[in-house]
Amino acid sequence: MSDNDNKIAVTDLTEAVVIPTEAYISEEYARAERDKLWRKVWLQVGRVEDVPEVGNYLTFEILDDSILIVRSDEETINAYHNVCPHRGRRLVDPPKGERNGSGKKANFVCAYHGWRFDLNGNNDRIPYREDWQGALTDECVGLAKVNIDFWGGWIWINMDPDCEPLRDYLQPAASMLEPFQLQNMRVRWRKWGIFDCNWKVALEAFNETYHVATTHPEFNKFGEFRGWAKAQGKHSNLGYEAPKDMDQNQSAKLRLGMNADPRLSTAEMQVYTWEKANTNTTATLVNAALRLKDDLPEGTPPGEVLQHWLKTARSDDEARGVVWPTVDPKHVGESGTAWQIFPNFQIGHAVNNMLCYSARPYGYDPDKCIFEGAVYELFPEGEEPNAPWEYCEATEEAWCYVLSQDFSNMAAVQQGMKSAGFTGPKPNPYMERATANLHRNLAAYMGTGSPEKIKK
């Protein structure tokens, strides 16, 4: 079998594959990503609530491109290339050390020569325009528009004028996640940093469950949580198998402590998650778990513990004005624990909270990336926190203990990719299929790097 045949044979990704290392360490590959990938795909750039009032704006930076997102009127949010069409100066300079530029303006004025643009991107002032002798048409002096759409409460942009509609691009993830009403959640915290690894290495630290038992050994005392991953076209989802005697539909979403007395181990696991991870749970879920030992008799089966826990937590939230969406249990099970949205966004969803990650290049250095994490949950109306982006080094003090365990692998993996003794990642075909699927789809855009069957 030729090398080409070996690549073509990789279809459903159920077989063992090896991934070439060029996508992680090649500077040539990193430079090619700008035109072949980042300017061709839909990218999540912020939340709709980040631009609540007319004139609010934010920028999004990706390699050589800066996108300006502006609320032009009460019903309209537009996106433009953040560049003056006169001499190419950026209109908004992100403050040094900040993730992006943001604020509120009535118009945008180029600091170089004073060309001015309204919130709809129209040029309404060019000093001495007559000097161009009528050559400057309104079309050539306005801001260059960028495709923009909205889903899940996020703002998405695509720099390709001929891109497919966002809804089509996101399927089947969009249909699977919409019952969770992610647009109603608000950010509790969000952090970003510059990490010493390729953006794919950063994402792949979170798009599988195979690492949990080793990287996060503290969770092992709560039971064995074997995970799965499925390729879903451009995207992937992952979840956990149901332990014995557990509701198959619910277990993919909320892990129940299974050791000894599930009433006690569930409370212990929730407290640990809240204090050491600060993700994937809420104060309401923690408090409801702590009451399980008083609410239920010893010996209550795990499935009944789970249902009582969820029922009381839902009731507690409703009493404070927080209403969880009602999602069919079968759909909950099929949706899994998280979705990887190609190429660089992960949504870890639940009915009342979510954990999201994203990563993108930091310049053209394949050994560095911008990594972001954000936690969302449902809040009573009017009590949503104002959580700005916080720059954080990759430390336990800045992020939390559990995430720092994940971070500890990233730079080490990046260095290991360059070893003469390393022949390429070999993801677990069942638990790490999302990693293989990411590279299969990357190869479709990049024209190189396809996963290959491991030669026996």
Side-chain angles (χ1 to χ4, degrees):
M1 177 182 287
S2 69
D3 287 345
N4 191 50
D5 290 337
N6 200 48
K7 292 176 182 178
I8 292 173
V10 178
T11 54
D12 60 5
L13 299 176
T14 57
E15 297 184 56
V17 299
V18 60
I19 299 169
T21 58
E22 62 177 329
Y24 302 95
I25 63 176
S26 166
E27 184 175 341
E28 180 181 358
Y29 185 103
R31 289 190 171 277
E33 284 181 343
R34 186 194 69 175
D35 295 327
K36 293 183 177 181
L37 178 68
W38 302 113
R39 290 179 174 177
K40 297 293 184 181
V41 294
W42 283 98
L43 298 170
Q44 180 275 119
V45 300
R47 295 285 289 182
V48 172
E49 57 266 23
D50 289 337
V51 285
E53 300 177 351
V54 175
N56 280 148
Y57 70 90
L58 59 88
T59 66
F60 176 75
E61 322 298 322
I62 178 77
L63 295 177
D64 295 319
D65 294 297
S66 179
I67 309 301
L68 179 61
I69 297 98
V70 185
R71 182 172 287 278
S72 302
D73 58 50
E74 292 184 358
E75 304 298 328
T76 308
I77 301 174
N78 286 312
Y80 311 100
H81 287 281
N82 180 24
V83 61
C84 179
H86 173 217
R87 292 280 295 278
R89 195 204 189 285
R90 287 189 172 183
L91 295 173
V92 175
D93 297 316
K96 187 175 181 179
E98 297 291 332
R99 174 187 178 270
N100 58 278
S102 63
K104 187 175 184 180
K105 291 180 179 289
N107 49 49
F108 296 89
V109 179
C110 180
Y112 197 1
H113 297 92
W115 284 31
R116 188 176 69 190
F117 308 86
D118 65 22
L119 301 181
N120 290 301
N122 302 310
N123 190 318
D124 61 10
R125 182 178 182 269
I126 299 177
Y128 304 105
R129 184 170 183 167
E130 63 274 12
D131 290 351
W132 277 266
Q133 305 166 50
L136 296 182
T137 64
D138 289 343
E139 289 73 23
C140 78
V141 299
L143 298 183
K145 284 197 169 185
V146 175
N147 290 307
I148 188 170
D149 208 341
F150 312 91
W151 176 85
W154 287 286
I155 303 168
W156 304 73
I157 61 96
N158 194 316
M159 289 180 270
D160 182 359
D162 300 318
C163 66
E164 65 182 308
L166 175 63
R167 176 80 191 189
D168 295 346
Y169 180 89
L170 291 176
Q171 288 293 67
S175 292
M176 290 299 295
L177 290 174
E178 277 170 350
F180 294 89
Q181 300 177 16
L182 307 182
Q183 70 275 8
N184 294 331
M185 298 187 192
R186 296 293 180 266
V187 67
R188 180 162 65 84
W189 62 255
R190 49 186 170 181
K191 302 176 182 181
W192 72 289
I194 299 168
F195 286 14
D196 293 326
C197 64
N198 191 272
W199 65 269
K200 304 168 205 71
V201 168
L203 280 180
E204 291 166 11
F206 300 97
N207 74 356
E208 45 86 2
T209 60
Y210 189 43
H211 74 283
V212 173
T214 306
T215 300
H216 310 293
E218 294 84 356
F219 283 105
N220 292 336
K221 65 181 177 180
F222 302 120
E224 180 181 359
F225 303 103
R226 178 166 164 78
W228 51 262
K230 299 176 182 178
Q232 302 278 5
K234 281 188 176 69
H235 318 297
S236 302
N237 69 323
L238 59 116
Y240 291 93
E241 291 182 354
K244 186 178 180 180
D245 300 324
M246 175 62 67
D247 183 337
Q248 294 280 340
N249 299 319
Q250 290 289 353
S251 64
K253 185 48 49 196
L254 283 169
R255 292 187 293 171
L256 188 70
M258 298 298 295
N259 287 350
D261 188 335
R263 304 171 308 159
L264 304 181
S265 61
T266 297
E268 185 180 355
M269 184 169 66
Q270 283 295 300
V271 170
Y272 181 84
T273 302
W274 180 256
E275 293 180 349
K276 297 296 186 178
N278 199 17
T279 63
N280 297 110
T281 191
T282 68
T284 301
L285 284 168
V286 173
N287 291 331
L290 289 170
R291 295 199 308 268
L292 288 171
K293 64 179 180 2
D294 300 319
D295 291 353
L296 299 173
E298 186 176 355
T300 301
E304 292 182 24
V305 172
L306 172 67
Q307 294 304 324
H308 179 84
W309 175 36
L310 295 179
K311 180 180 178 180
T312 56
R314 179 186 287 269
S315 178
D316 291 346
D317 261 353
E318 287 180 354
R320 67 187 190 98
V322 172
V323 179
W324 302 3
T326 299
V327 186
D328 179 77
K330 185 174 186 297
H331 188 93
V332 171
E334 292 175 351
S335 73
T337 301
W339 283 75
Q340 288 71 56
I341 306 300
F342 182 81
N344 69 326
F345 186 45
Q346 174 166 308
I347 303 171
H349 60 289
V351 292
N352 65 347
N353 74 95
M354 63 179 167
L355 168 62
C356 298
Y357 302 113
S358 63
R360 62 188 189 276
Y362 181 69
Y364 290 104
D365 184 347
D367 293 334
K368 289 187 178 295
C369 73
I370 297 171
F371 177 79
E372 300 175 349
V375 165
Y376 301 79
E377 66 178 80
L378 295 172
F379 292 94
E381 186 174 357
E383 297 182 18
E384 302 89 347
N386 179 19
W389 282 102
E390 178 184 0
Y391 179 83
C392 295
E393 300 289 343
T395 64
E396 176 183 345
E397 293 75 18
W399 289 80
C400 72
Y401 175 67
V402 172
L403 290 181
S404 73
Q405 292 176 312
D406 293 301
F407 299 162
S408 69
N409 294 320
M410 293 180 182
V413 167
Q414 186 67 24
Q415 287 301 308
M417 290 277 184
K418 303 173 186 178
S419 170
F422 185 63
T423 58
K426 305 165 190 68
N428 181 311
Y430 181 71
M431 300 179 75
E432 298 180 290
R433 196 176 303 167
T435 297
N437 195 41
L438 169 63
H439 287 268
R440 175 172 64 177
N441 284 295
L442 280 173
Y445 282 82
M446 299 296 294
T448 185
S450 295
E452 302 179 19
K453 285 186 178 180
I454 295 178
K455 298 176 181 179
K456 300 179 180 179

